[in-house]
Amino acid sequence: MDEADDRGIWEYARSNGFTIVSHDSDFANLSALFGALPKVIWLRCGNQPTSVVERLLRAHIDAITALDATADQTVLEIL
């Protein structure tokens, strides 16, 4: 997927039931255009080491679980 464009990643995630986790605002924009699936977790923390991203995701597990369970929420921003 390293060479896929945003739309290709979007379609792959939608087709396979994945949630997109990204620093890229383009996926949040695609969500606004095309709707709820796939869900998007938008990391607004800048480029960080994997260990920092892991801690952020673990710290927001309740919000991530709620995103998955809520039909009308499409994007979760994590700062």
Side-chain angles (χ1 to χ4, degrees), residues 36-69:
L37 294 176
K39 303 284 183 129
V40 176
I41 299 172
W42 183 13
L43 300 174
R44 306 273 319 260
C45 58
N47 290 332
Q48 299 290 329
T50 302
S51 60
V52 172
V53 172
E54 177 189 9
R55 280 194 301 268
L56 281 170
L57 292 171
R58 289 181 185 277
H60 290 87
I61 191 64
D62 291 338
I64 292 167
T65 301
L67 173 70
D68 187 48

Side-chain angles (χ1 to χ4, degrees), residues 23-44:
H23 288 97
D24 191 345
S25 64
D26 291 348
F27 291 110
N29 295 336
L30 285 171
S31 183
L33 278 173
F34 298 115
L37 294 176
K39 303 284 183 129
V40 176
I41 299 172
W42 183 13
L43 300 174
R44 306 273 319 260

